[in-house]
Protein backbone atom coordinates (compact mmCIF):
# COMPACT_ATOMS: atom_id res chain seq x y z
CA UNK A 1 0.00 0.00 0.00
CA UNK A 2 2.76 2.41 0.95
CA UNK A 3 4.59 1.62 -2.30
CA UNK A 4 1.45 2.48 -4.27
CA UNK A 5 1.07 5.78 -2.42
CA UNK A 6 4.71 6.63 -3.03
CA UNK A 7 4.32 5.86 -6.72
CA UNK A 8 1.12 7.91 -6.92
CA UNK A 9 2.82 10.80 -5.14
CA UNK A 10 5.75 10.54 -7.52
CA UNK A 11 3.44 10.73 -10.55
CA UNK A 12 1.51 13.68 -9.02
CA UNK A 13 4.75 15.48 -8.25
CA UNK A 14 6.01 14.95 -11.79
CA UNK A 15 2.82 16.36 -13.30
CA UNK A 16 2.54 19.17 -10.75
CA UNK A 17 6.19 20.22 -11.02
CA UNK A 18 6.03 20.16 -14.80
CA UNK A 19 2.87 22.29 -14.72
CA UNK A 20 4.55 24.77 -12.38
CA UNK A 21 7.53 24.99 -14.69
CA UNK A 22 5.23 25.60 -17.68
CA UNK A 23 3.46 28.39 -15.78
CA UNK A 24 6.69 30.03 -14.64
CA UNK A 25 7.45 33.45 -16.17
CA UNK A 26 9.78 33.16 -19.14
CA UNK A 27 11.90 35.98 -20.50
CA UNK A 28 10.52 37.31 -23.76
CA UNK A 29 12.48 36.60 -26.93
CA UNK A 30 12.03 39.27 -29.60
CA UNK A 31 12.18 39.25 -33.38
CA UNK A 32 11.37 42.44 -35.31
CA UNK A 33 11.40 43.58 -38.91
CA UNK A 34 9.90 46.31 -41.06
CA UNK A 35 7.41 45.19 -43.68
CA UNK A 36 8.94 45.54 -47.19
CA UNK A 37 9.28 49.11 -48.42
CA UNK A 38 11.92 50.61 -50.71
CA UNK A 39 14.56 52.67 -48.93
CA UNK A 40 16.49 52.62 -45.67
CA UNK A 41 18.53 54.71 -43.25
CA UNK A 42 21.08 54.00 -40.57
CA UNK A 43 20.97 56.41 -37.62
CA UNK A 44 19.52 59.86 -37.09
CA UNK A 45 22.92 61.52 -37.48
CA UNK A 46 23.45 59.91 -40.89
CA UNK A 47 19.97 60.35 -42.34
CA UNK A 48 20.43 61.25 -46.03
CA UNK A 49 18.63 61.45 -49.35
CA UNK A 50 18.99 57.73 -50.01
CA UNK A 51 17.99 56.33 -46.62
CA UNK A 52 15.62 58.67 -44.76
CA UNK A 53 12.57 56.42 -45.32
CA UNK A 54 13.11 53.50 -42.95
CA UNK A 55 13.36 50.00 -44.50
CA UNK A 56 15.29 47.76 -42.12
CA UNK A 57 16.39 47.79 -38.51
CA UNK A 58 20.09 48.27 -37.92
CA UNK A 59 22.25 47.39 -34.92
CA UNK A 60 21.65 49.77 -31.98
CA UNK A 61 18.13 50.65 -33.23
CA UNK A 62 15.61 50.78 -30.39
CA UNK A 63 11.93 49.86 -30.20
CA UNK A 64 9.37 50.22 -27.41
CA UNK A 65 7.53 47.02 -26.47
CA UNK A 66 4.44 46.97 -24.29
CA UNK A 67 2.86 43.86 -22.75
CA UNK A 68 -0.88 44.25 -22.20
CA UNK A 69 -1.29 47.59 -20.39
CA UNK A 70 2.05 47.48 -18.56
CA UNK A 71 4.79 50.09 -18.87
CA UNK A 72 6.62 49.88 -22.20
CA UNK A 73 10.22 48.62 -22.20
CA UNK A 74 12.96 49.64 -24.62
CA UNK A 75 14.68 46.85 -26.57
CA UNK A 76 17.87 47.35 -28.59
CA UNK A 77 18.89 45.45 -31.69
CA UNK A 78 22.12 43.51 -31.54
CA UNK A 79 23.86 41.46 -34.22
CA UNK A 80 21.58 38.44 -33.91
CA UNK A 81 18.86 39.39 -31.44
CA UNK A 82 17.00 42.11 -29.55
CA UNK A 83 17.83 42.66 -25.89
CA UNK A 84 16.44 44.95 -23.17
CA UNK A 85 18.30 48.28 -23.17
CA UNK A 86 18.45 48.00 -19.39
CA UNK A 87 19.46 44.45 -18.46
CA UNK A 88 17.47 44.76 -15.23
CA UNK A 89 14.25 45.83 -16.97
CA UNK A 90 12.85 43.10 -19.18
CA UNK A 91 9.53 41.54 -20.15
CA UNK A 92 8.36 38.04 -19.25
CA UNK A 93 5.38 36.04 -20.43
CA UNK A 94 3.35 33.24 -18.88
CA UNK A 95 0.28 33.14 -21.11
CA UNK A 96 -0.53 32.83 -24.80
CA UNK A 97 -3.21 35.46 -24.20
CA UNK A 98 -0.60 38.17 -23.50
CA UNK A 99 -0.90 41.02 -26.02
CA UNK A 100 2.29 42.69 -27.23
CA UNK A 101 2.51 45.94 -29.17
CA UNK A 102 5.60 47.85 -30.30
CA UNK A 103 6.50 51.22 -31.80
CA UNK A 104 9.42 53.02 -33.43
CA UNK A 105 11.14 55.42 -32.95
CA UNK A 106 11.23 55.33 -29.16
CA UNK A 107 11.44 59.12 -28.90
CA UNK A 108 8.46 59.78 -31.15
CA UNK A 109 6.71 63.04 -30.24
CA UNK A 110 4.33 63.44 -33.18
CA UNK A 111 4.31 64.71 -36.75
CA UNK A 112 6.64 67.70 -36.99
CA UNK A 113 5.95 70.93 -38.84
CA UNK A 114 9.47 71.21 -40.23
CA UNK A 115 10.06 68.10 -42.29
CA UNK A 116 12.25 69.92 -44.79
CA UNK A 117 15.27 68.05 -43.40
CA UNK A 118 15.80 64.29 -43.61
CA UNK A 119 15.89 64.00 -39.82
CA UNK A 120 12.63 65.95 -39.52
CA UNK A 121 10.93 63.57 -41.92
CA UNK A 122 12.37 60.53 -40.14
CA UNK A 123 11.30 61.72 -36.69
CA UNK A 124 7.74 62.24 -37.97
CA UNK A 125 7.33 58.72 -39.34
CA UNK A 126 5.87 56.38 -36.73
CA UNK A 127 6.01 52.60 -37.20
CA UNK A 128 3.88 50.23 -35.12
CA UNK A 129 3.22 46.51 -34.83
CA UNK A 130 1.13 43.99 -32.92
CA UNK A 131 3.24 40.99 -31.98
CA UNK A 132 2.59 37.36 -32.79
CA UNK A 133 3.41 35.23 -29.75
CA UNK A 134 4.68 31.66 -30.03
CA UNK A 135 5.70 30.24 -26.67
CA UNK A 136 7.91 32.95 -25.21
CA UNK A 137 8.95 34.39 -28.59
CA UNK A 138 7.18 37.41 -30.03
CA UNK A 139 7.54 38.49 -33.67
CA UNK A 140 6.85 42.04 -34.84
CA UNK A 141 6.35 43.24 -38.42
CA UNK A 142 6.29 47.04 -38.39
CA UNK A 143 4.20 49.19 -40.75
CA UNK A 144 3.64 52.97 -40.91
CA UNK A 145 1.01 54.37 -38.56
CA UNK A 146 0.98 57.56 -40.63
CA UNK A 147 0.31 58.59 -44.23
CA UNK A 148 2.56 60.37 -46.71
CA UNK A 149 1.88 63.23 -49.09
CA UNK A 150 4.24 63.81 -52.01
CA UNK A 151 4.41 66.46 -54.69
CA UNK A 152 6.02 66.45 -58.14
CA UNK A 153 6.10 69.71 -60.06
CA UNK A 154 7.43 70.41 -63.57
CA UNK A 155 8.26 73.99 -64.59
CA UNK A 156 8.58 75.49 -68.04
CA UNK A 157 11.60 77.55 -66.95
CA UNK A 158 14.63 76.86 -64.79
CA UNK A 159 14.03 77.32 -61.06
CA UNK A 160 17.12 77.56 -58.88
CA UNK A 161 15.18 76.83 -55.71
CA UNK A 162 11.69 75.60 -54.85
CA UNK A 163 10.03 74.93 -51.51
CA UNK A 164 6.74 73.17 -50.81
CA UNK A 165 4.31 73.15 -47.90
CA UNK A 166 0.88 71.86 -46.96
CA UNK A 167 -1.59 73.69 -44.74
CA UNK A 168 -4.85 72.34 -43.34
CA UNK A 169 -6.82 71.42 -40.25
CA UNK A 170 -5.40 68.66 -38.03
CA UNK A 171 -2.91 67.46 -40.65
CA UNK A 172 -0.32 66.86 -37.91
CA UNK A 173 -2.79 65.32 -35.47
CA UNK A 174 -3.90 68.45 -33.66
CA UNK A 175 -7.26 70.18 -33.88
CA UNK A 176 -6.58 73.57 -35.46
CA UNK A 177 -4.89 74.88 -38.59
CA UNK A 178 -1.47 73.27 -39.08
CA UNK A 179 1.38 73.46 -41.60
CA UNK A 180 3.89 70.90 -42.87
CA UNK A 181 7.06 72.03 -44.64
CA UNK A 182 7.87 69.25 -47.10
CA UNK A 183 11.21 67.59 -47.73
CA UNK A 184 12.77 68.08 -51.16
CA UNK A 185 13.52 64.54 -52.34
CA UNK A 186 14.86 65.22 -55.84
CA UNK A 187 15.57 67.87 -58.45
CA UNK A 188 16.25 67.26 -62.14
CA UNK A 189 19.60 68.24 -63.63
CA UNK A 190 17.97 71.02 -65.64
CA UNK A 191 16.26 72.30 -62.46
CA UNK A 192 12.83 72.20 -64.06
CA UNK A 193 11.34 69.31 -62.07
CA UNK A 194 11.25 69.02 -58.28
CA UNK A 195 9.77 66.42 -55.96
CA UNK A 196 8.82 66.66 -52.28
CA UNK A 197 7.46 64.41 -49.53
CA UNK A 198 6.07 64.74 -46.02
CA UNK A 199 4.40 62.75 -43.27
CA UNK A 200 0.73 63.61 -42.71
CA UNK A 201 -1.87 62.47 -40.19
CA UNK A 202 -4.25 59.88 -41.65
CA UNK A 203 -7.96 60.51 -41.36
CA UNK A 204 -11.27 61.24 -43.05
CA UNK A 205 -12.42 64.47 -44.69
CA UNK A 206 -8.95 65.82 -45.38
CA UNK A 207 -8.85 69.19 -47.12
CA UNK A 208 -5.70 71.30 -47.44
CA UNK A 209 -3.75 73.75 -49.54
CA UNK A 210 -0.46 72.81 -51.24
CA UNK A 211 1.83 75.79 -51.79
CA UNK A 212 4.93 75.90 -53.99
CA UNK A 213 7.37 78.80 -53.80
CA UNK A 214 9.92 79.11 -56.64
CA UNK A 215 12.59 81.75 -57.04
CA UNK A 216 11.52 82.50 -60.64
CA UNK A 217 7.88 81.38 -60.91
CA UNK A 218 6.93 82.81 -57.52
CA UNK A 219 4.23 81.47 -55.19
CA UNK A 220 1.44 79.23 -56.49
CA UNK A 221 -1.09 77.12 -54.61
CA UNK A 222 -3.52 74.27 -55.12
CA UNK A 223 -6.62 73.97 -52.95
CA UNK A 224 -7.61 70.37 -52.25
CA UNK A 225 -11.17 71.40 -51.43
CA UNK A 226 -12.75 67.99 -52.05
CA UNK A 227 -12.57 65.84 -48.93
CA UNK A 228 -10.08 62.99 -49.19
CA UNK A 229 -9.71 60.00 -46.88
CA UNK A 230 -6.05 59.38 -46.11
CA UNK A 231 -5.08 55.95 -44.81
CA UNK A 232 -2.01 54.97 -42.83
CA UNK A 233 0.59 53.20 -44.94
CA UNK A 234 -0.23 55.02 -48.18
CA UNK A 235 1.35 57.82 -50.18
CA UNK A 236 -0.88 60.45 -51.79
CA UNK A 237 1.07 61.92 -54.69
CA UNK A 238 0.14 65.16 -56.44
CA UNK A 239 1.68 65.94 -59.82
CA UNK A 240 1.64 69.49 -61.20
CA UNK A 241 2.86 71.48 -64.16
CA UNK A 242 3.56 75.16 -63.67
CA UNK A 243 3.45 77.68 -66.50
CA UNK A 244 1.18 80.69 -66.10
CA UNK A 245 -0.61 78.83 -63.30
CA UNK A 246 -0.27 75.68 -61.24
CA UNK A 247 -2.08 72.85 -63.04
CA UNK A 248 -2.87 69.54 -61.31
CA UNK A 249 -2.25 66.71 -63.78
CA UNK A 250 -2.76 63.72 -61.50
CA UNK A 251 -3.30 62.33 -58.03
CA UNK A 252 -2.01 58.82 -57.39
CA UNK A 253 -2.35 56.63 -54.31
CA UNK A 254 0.68 54.40 -53.78
CA UNK A 255 2.03 52.09 -51.05
CA UNK A 256 3.85 54.25 -48.51
CA UNK A 257 7.41 53.93 -49.77
CA UNK A 258 6.95 53.14 -53.44
CA UNK A 259 9.23 55.32 -55.60
CA UNK A 260 7.65 58.61 -56.66
CA UNK A 261 6.02 58.35 -60.07
CA UNK A 262 7.29 61.20 -62.22
CA UNK A 263 4.42 60.81 -64.70
CA UNK A 264 1.38 59.97 -62.58
CA UNK A 265 -1.90 58.80 -63.95
CA UNK A 266 -5.41 59.86 -63.01
CA UNK A 267 -6.69 60.11 -59.48
CA UNK A 268 -7.66 57.00 -57.56
Amino acid sequence: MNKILIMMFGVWCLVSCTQQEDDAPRMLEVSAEIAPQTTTRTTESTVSSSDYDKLTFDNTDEILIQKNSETAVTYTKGTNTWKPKDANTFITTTSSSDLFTASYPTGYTGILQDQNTFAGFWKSKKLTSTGELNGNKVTFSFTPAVAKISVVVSYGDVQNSVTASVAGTAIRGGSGSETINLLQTSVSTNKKRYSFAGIIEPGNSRTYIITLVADVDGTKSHNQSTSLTMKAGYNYQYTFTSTNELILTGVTVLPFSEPIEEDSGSAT
Side-chain angles (χ1 to χ4, degrees):
M1 181 67 176
N2 290 338
K3 290 183 179 180
I4 294 174
L5 289 173
I6 292 172
M7 290 178 63
M8 290 178 63
F9 176 79
V11 172
W12 175 86
C13 183
L14 177 62
V15 173
S16 176
C17 292
T18 301
Q19 184 66 42
Q20 289 177 5
E21 289 176 1
D22 289 342
D23 291 341
R26 290 174 292 173
M27 186 175 293
L28 192 69
E29 295 181 9
V30 176
S31 174
E33 64 175 6
I34 298 175
Q37 296 176 55
T38 58
T39 51
T40 185
R41 63 103 216 152
T42 50
T43 62
E44 178 184 353
S45 61
T46 59
V47 174
S48 69
S49 59
S50 64
D51 59 16
Y52 65 92
D53 206 354
K54 187 73 171 163
L55 171 64
T56 58
F57 286 122
D58 303 294
N59 289 349
T60 74
D61 273 345
E62 297 178 353
I63 58 176
L64 276 177
I65 302 177
Q66 184 177 40
K67 170 187 170 183
N68 302 323
S69 58
E70 297 176 6
T71 302
V73 176
T74 300
Y75 275 66
T76 303
K77 188 180 185 307
T79 302
N80 298 311
T81 188
W82 292 80
K83 296 291 186 182
K85 184 177 181 179
D86 179 351
N88 296 315
T89 305
F90 52 85
I91 298 175
T92 61
T93 182
T94 58
S95 171
S96 60
S97 64
D98 285 335
L99 175 64
F100 294 91
T101 56
S103 63
Y104 172 92
T106 56
Y108 186 80
T109 58
I111 297 174
L112 302 180
Q113 174 175 317
D114 291 326
Q115 298 179 35
N116 47 358
T117 66
F118 297 117
F121 180 99
W122 170 66
K123 288 180 178 180
S124 299
K125 181 181 176 182
K126 184 178 184 179
L127 301 171
T128 59
S129 176
T130 298
E132 293 185 7
L133 186 63
N134 184 7
N136 66 320
K137 182 177 181 179
V138 64
T139 301
F140 295 105
S141 181
F142 285 78
T143 56
V146 290
K148 181 194 288 186
I149 185 168
S150 57
V151 174
V152 177
V153 55
S154 296
Y155 289 95
D157 299 316
V158 172
Q159 311 295 319
N160 293 309
S161 66
V162 181
T163 60
S165 63
V166 181
T169 302
I171 60 174
R172 293 194 291 115
S175 58
S177 178
E178 296 176 324
T179 300
I180 297 171
N181 298 316
L182 302 182
L183 173 69
Q184 181 182 300
T185 54
S186 70
V187 55
S188 62
T189 54
N190 63 5
K191 294 188 177 182
K192 290 186 177 182
R193 185 174 63 240
Y194 287 77
S195 64
F196 302 87
I199 302 299
I200 191 167
E201 178 75 8
N204 300 327
S205 302
R206 276 285 178 268
T207 61
Y208 40 81
I209 297 174
I210 298 172
T211 300
L212 294 160
V213 181
D215 63 333
V216 175
D217 259 25
T219 301
K220 296 178 181 179
S221 298
H222 168 75
N223 186 359
Q224 172 62 45
S225 57
T226 303
S227 294
L228 178 68
T229 296
M230 289 185 148
K231 297 180 180 180
Y234 287 90
N235 173 22
Y236 297 80
Q237 179 181 317
Y238 287 75
T239 303
F240 299 98
T241 58
S242 180
T243 52
N244 294 327
E245 59 182 341
L246 192 64
I247 301 171
L248 178 66
T249 60
V251 181
T252 304
V253 182
L254 304 166
F256 191 96
S257 291
E258 282 292 310
I260 288 177
E261 295 184 355
E262 298 294 352
D263 297 308
S264 295
S266 59
T268 56

